[in-house]
Short mmCIF file of all heavy atoms in Angstrom, two decimals:
data_model
loop_
_atom_site.label_atom_id
_atom_site.label_comp_id
_atom_site.label_asym_id
_atom_site.label_seq_id
_atom_site.Cartn_x
_atom_site.Cartn_y
_atom_site.Cartn_z
N ARG G 172 149.53 124.96 113.91
CA ARG G 172 149.90 126.23 114.68
C ARG G 172 151.08 125.95 115.60
O ARG G 172 151.36 124.76 115.99
CB ARG G 172 148.63 126.57 115.56
CG ARG G 172 147.32 126.79 114.76
CD ARG G 172 146.10 126.61 115.81
NE ARG G 172 144.90 126.48 114.98
CZ ARG G 172 144.03 127.42 114.78
NH1 ARG G 172 144.37 128.60 115.19
NH2 ARG G 172 142.94 127.29 114.07
N ASP G 237 148.69 130.26 119.45
CA ASP G 237 147.76 129.37 118.73
C ASP G 237 147.22 130.19 117.45
O ASP G 237 146.51 129.45 116.61
CB ASP G 237 146.58 129.06 119.65
CG ASP G 237 145.97 130.24 120.34
OD1 ASP G 237 146.83 131.08 121.01
OD2 ASP G 237 144.74 130.48 120.29
N ASN G 238 147.54 131.35 117.26
CA ASN G 238 147.18 132.03 116.05
C ASN G 238 148.32 132.39 115.15
O ASN G 238 148.30 133.30 114.39
CB ASN G 238 146.46 133.39 116.43
CG ASN G 238 145.06 133.19 117.19
OD1 ASN G 238 144.54 132.05 117.05
ND2 ASN G 238 144.73 134.10 118.07
N ASP G 247 143.34 133.61 111.97
CA ASP G 247 142.62 134.06 113.27
C ASP G 247 142.92 135.52 113.62
O ASP G 247 143.27 135.86 114.71
CB ASP G 247 143.04 133.20 114.45
CG ASP G 247 142.30 131.80 114.37
OD1 ASP G 247 141.54 131.64 113.45
OD2 ASP G 247 142.60 131.02 115.19
MG1 LIG A 502 142.62 131.19 117.33
#
Side-chain angles (χ1 to χ4, degrees):
R172 305 158 190 265
D237 51 306
N238 294 334
D247 282 357

